[in-house]
Amino acid sequence: MRAKQFAICDKDVVYLKMLQAYLQKKNPADFEILIFETAQKALAASRNEPFEVFLVGEKIYDNQIEKINAKKVFILLEDGLSGITGYSTLSKYQSMERLISQVLEEFALDESFDSVGRCGKNKTNLISFYAPDRNKGQSIAALGAAQVLAEAGHRVLYLNLMPFAGFEELLGVRYESDVTDFMYFVLNHSDKLLYKLDGIKQCIHGVDYLPPALDYTDLLSIGSHDWEQVLNMLLYSSDYTHIILDLSETCQGFYEILESSSQIYILTDKNTSYGRAMLSHFKNLLQAKGYQTILDHFEEFALPRDWEQYCDRIENIAASPIGSCMKGVLDGCR
């Protein structure tokens, strides 16, 4: 089956090549990327194979564009003075990440577009991180492990499922949608998973992640069967080698998620009576409920002393002592 074509036509050769390089690196929804410096060249190519997506610069637009065989045409606006109508528009001078996200979001929402499917090319490992005592180091440990895996050449998706993540402040960003928006959409449009995933995901030090939930009650409202369905779709329809879950009890089906994990890392603080008591409580509960498989698969670990002072390095936590610690934890369990 031939790859769907994502074509861009613009006079600005530097812009074209930059956008092409970005798309080839990100490889959204497995599109084949084509670039053209003239409308005539784009027209000739579209006669052989229709474009799935066609981005055309406002300054290069002419009557040839209307003849181009493309399922969806976007006009890249520069000053918006050309008066072009009848097409979706995008601001040309915005981040490439945001531009492509807008394209994929429109594909995901439009029922007239074909779905995109992909059988996972890699074996996907589901790895869960959890701290029974709600240790605030859980997220930094999980993200550090994800970055260590990404540095080793793995494709990693990190999902923060904590009630409060603080990522917007820590990273200085603002999210327009979050992991719960992704889940609600995919549960109703499973065939559009890759469009939505590639449209919403962010990246930090080589690790893809979905923006954490703004309101933890949205996480609570998702049923255990829905969690199972979405995780299975990610495991079998994406091309990640590892999915890292930063897990909390806000997820219905908490135990079932742990059971389905290939590896479970339990952050502990055995230096305090409180930490030891919470860990013991968690183990006793698992035993009482018959979750021996969880007990058999989890590995306990602790963060290095004074780990808190490195938390301002979240964009490259792998380079800190926390990253070194997580590399040792991962290596010790392989």
Side-chain angles (χ1 to χ4, degrees):
M1 180 178 177
R2 186 168 179 177
K4 297 178 180 180
Q5 295 184 331
F6 191 121
I8 313 114
C9 183
D10 196 86
K11 292 179 180 179
D12 188 339
V13 178
V14 174
Y15 178 84
L16 276 178
K17 291 184 177 179
M18 287 177 59
L19 187 52
Q20 181 186 40
Y22 175 84
L23 286 165
Q24 288 175 338
K25 180 180 179 181
K26 295 295 183 180
N27 194 26
D30 287 342
F31 284 115
E32 178 186 358
I33 312 303
L34 306 175
I35 60 172
F36 304 97
E37 299 171 33
T38 67
Q40 290 75 16
K41 290 180 180 179
L43 176 61
S46 73
R47 288 170 178 159
N48 298 324
E49 184 74 22
F51 303 147
E52 191 78 7
V53 185
F54 183 50
L55 307 186
V56 57
E58 180 181 24
K59 300 301 185 183
I60 204 172
Y61 180 91
D62 61 25
N63 57 10
Q64 296 292 312
I65 300 300
E66 298 176 8
K67 303 175 185 177
I68 288 174
N69 189 3
K71 292 187 177 180
K72 184 69 176 179
V73 177
F74 293 87
I75 305 298
L76 295 171
L77 295 180
E78 295 186 35
D79 54 31
L81 300 178
S82 61
I84 301 170
T85 59
Y87 299 106
S88 297
T89 59
L90 301 166
S91 172
K92 179 177 177 180
Y93 300 117
Q94 61 177 315
S95 73
M96 292 183 179
E97 180 180 38
R98 181 62 193 140
L99 186 149
I100 301 308
S101 175
Q102 289 174 348
V103 171
L104 295 175
E105 281 286 310
E106 185 152 345
F107 261 68
L109 293 170
D110 196 321
E111 296 293 341
S112 67
F113 291 123
D114 295 335
S115 62
V116 56
R118 177 200 294 158
C119 294
K121 302 169 188 174
N122 303 302
K123 178 182 177 182
T124 305
N125 295 303
L126 182 64
I127 301 175
S128 290
F129 280 79
Y130 177 67
D133 62 355
R134 292 176 171 80
N135 191 309
K136 60 182 178 292
Q138 178 184 321
S139 291
I140 206 70
L143 184 56
Q147 291 184 8
V148 166
L149 288 168
E151 283 190 347
H154 299 288
R155 293 203 63 200
V156 185
L157 177 67
Y158 166 80
L159 301 179
N160 185 302
L161 304 176
M162 302 295 284
F164 300 99
F167 272 29
E168 289 191 329
E169 183 167 342
L170 288 169
L171 296 171
V173 298
R174 286 291 178 268
Y175 301 122
E176 296 182 9
S177 53
D178 63 34
V179 62
T180 59
D181 297 313
F182 171 78
M183 291 192 66
Y184 289 132
F185 178 87
V186 170
L187 287 168
N188 292 294
H189 306 277
S190 60
D191 59 330
K192 299 290 185 73
L193 179 144
L194 292 183
Y195 286 142
K196 187 67 174 179
L197 177 62
D198 287 339
I200 191 176
K201 71 183 182 185
Q202 308 284 317
C203 188
I204 179 171
H205 197 70
V207 175
D208 287 344
Y209 73 96
L210 300 184
L214 174 63
D215 185 348
Y216 75 92
T217 60
D218 292 335
L219 291 171
L220 288 169
S221 66
I222 299 170
S224 58
H225 177 72
D226 293 335
W227 282 109
E228 179 184 14
Q229 184 178 343
V230 171
L231 287 174
N232 281 335
M233 284 190 283
L234 286 171
L235 287 168
Y236 296 107
S237 299
S238 67
D239 196 25
Y240 291 105
T241 58
H242 298 76
I243 296 176
I244 305 291
L245 297 183
D246 193 354
L247 194 58
S248 74
E249 303 90 343
T250 54
C251 302
Q252 295 189 49
F254 169 77
Y255 297 111
E256 289 75 16
I257 292 172
L258 285 174
E259 270 197 312
S260 63
S261 302
S262 52
Q263 292 153 292
I264 305 167
Y265 295 104
I266 305 296
L267 177 59
T268 63
D269 180 8
K270 294 183 179 179
N271 293 322
T272 67
S273 58
Y274 179 79
R276 292 192 298 271
M278 293 288 280
L279 177 61
S280 177
H281 187 162
F282 180 56
K283 288 181 175 179
N284 291 338
L285 180 60
L286 292 175
Q287 189 71 52
K289 295 178 75 69
Y291 289 116
Q292 187 61 45
T293 53
I294 297 176
L295 287 165
D296 291 341
H297 283 88
F298 80 48
E299 299 286 342
E300 299 171 27
F301 74 98
L303 287 171
R305 182 178 296 181
D306 300 327
W307 61 267
E308 294 97 332
Q309 65 182 291
Y310 305 107
C311 291
D312 59 348
R313 305 182 189 178
I314 187 173
E315 293 176 311
N316 186 9
I317 200 67
S320 74
I322 296 173
S324 299
C325 171
M326 298 317 301
K327 184 177 187 303
V329 170
L330 295 169
D331 288 344
C333 297
R334 288 173 183 166

